[in-house]
Amino acid sequence: RPLELILAKIISYFCVAMVGVFLCLFFSRFLFEVPLVGSLAMVILISMIYLMVALGIGLVISEVTKNQFLACQSSLLISFLPCFVLSGFIFDLRSTPIGVQLIGAILPFSHYLTCILFLSGTHWGILLKEGGLLLLYGIFFIGAAFGMTRKKVE
């Protein structure tokens, strides 16, 4: 059934990604001595929500493409590159054209980045707004993956 297929795909990658999140938090704190001023529980919760969004996008891409190589290339072009270039992670988007700023504002990673940046002061209004948007993105993409999943394993 589609539920079993989706859960089988999501659970293993989610667990591996959460190990990565914990390793990043551990090394940033104890190796690089970066203090965590905000709530550790909120960092983990927001990261879990963003991982669901990323996994939902990956499921949609895997349903659209029929080939693993094409899926890898598509995910690079659709999610990875725009996230880093258009989210404000590398470049300040305030000096870019308004169209580029709008595209950057649509990307889920920019909302995750805003949550992570504002966790230092725990601005709950910003966290609830951006986290809520991430949650809506997650529901949308996982729902789309459910709708697109074929009924049987080929």
Side-chain angles (χ1 to χ4, degrees), residues 14 70 75 85 123 147 154:
F14 183 81
L70 186 60
S75 67
V85 175
H123 297 278
E154 295 175 357

Side-chain angles (χ1 to χ4, degrees), residues 114-126:
T114 302
C115 286
I116 294 300
L117 290 176
F118 279 100
L119 273 169
S120 62
T122 58
H123 297 278
W124 294 106
I126 294 171

Side-chain angles (χ1 to χ4, degrees), residues 9 31 44 49 65 68 77 87 96 100 106 119 137 147 152:
K9 289 179 180 181
L31 183 64
I44 292 170
I49 293 170
T65 58
Q68 184 178 5
L77 291 173
S87 67
T96 60
V100 174
I106 293 172
L119 273 169
Y137 273 118
K152 61 180 180 173

Side-chain angles (χ1 to χ4, degrees), residues 4-144:
E4 293 166 344
L5 289 172
I6 298 283
L7 288 178
K9 289 179 180 181
I10 285 181
I11 290 173
S12 60
Y13 288 114
F14 183 81
C15 291
V16 168
M18 284 307 296
V19 168
V21 168
F22 286 120
L23 284 174
C24 287
L25 290 171
F26 177 81
F27 285 126
S28 69
R29 178 67 187 109
F30 296 108
L31 183 64
F32 299 110
E33 298 177 359
V34 176
L36 179 67
V37 179
S39 167
L40 178 63
M42 189 58 81
V43 170
I44 292 170
L45 177 66
I46 293 291
S47 296
M48 290 171 72
I49 293 170
Y50 179 71
L51 286 175
M52 294 308 294
V53 173
L55 289 171
I57 292 170
L59 286 171
V60 169
I61 290 172
S62 72
E63 287 299 325
V64 170
T65 58
K66 303 296 180 202
N67 161 332
Q68 184 178 5
F69 177 77
L70 186 60
C72 288
Q73 295 301 314
S74 299
S75 67
L76 276 175
L77 291 173
I78 292 171
S79 62
F80 186 74
L81 290 174
C83 283
F84 284 105
V85 175
L86 299 175
S87 67
F89 181 69
I90 295 177
F91 306 111
D92 185 14
L93 295 182
R94 290 178 289 186
S95 62
T96 60
I98 191 74
V100 174
Q101 292 178 21
L102 291 174
I103 292 170
I106 293 172
L107 297 173
F109 184 72
S110 61
H111 300 290
Y112 176 65
L113 187 62
T114 302
C115 286
I116 294 300
L117 290 176
F118 279 100
L119 273 169
S120 62
T122 58
H123 297 278
W124 294 106
I126 294 171
L127 291 176
L128 289 174
K129 180 185 136 210
E130 301 294 330
L133 285 171
L134 280 175
L135 192 60
L136 290 176
Y137 273 118
I139 291 168
F140 172 76
F141 283 115
I142 291 177

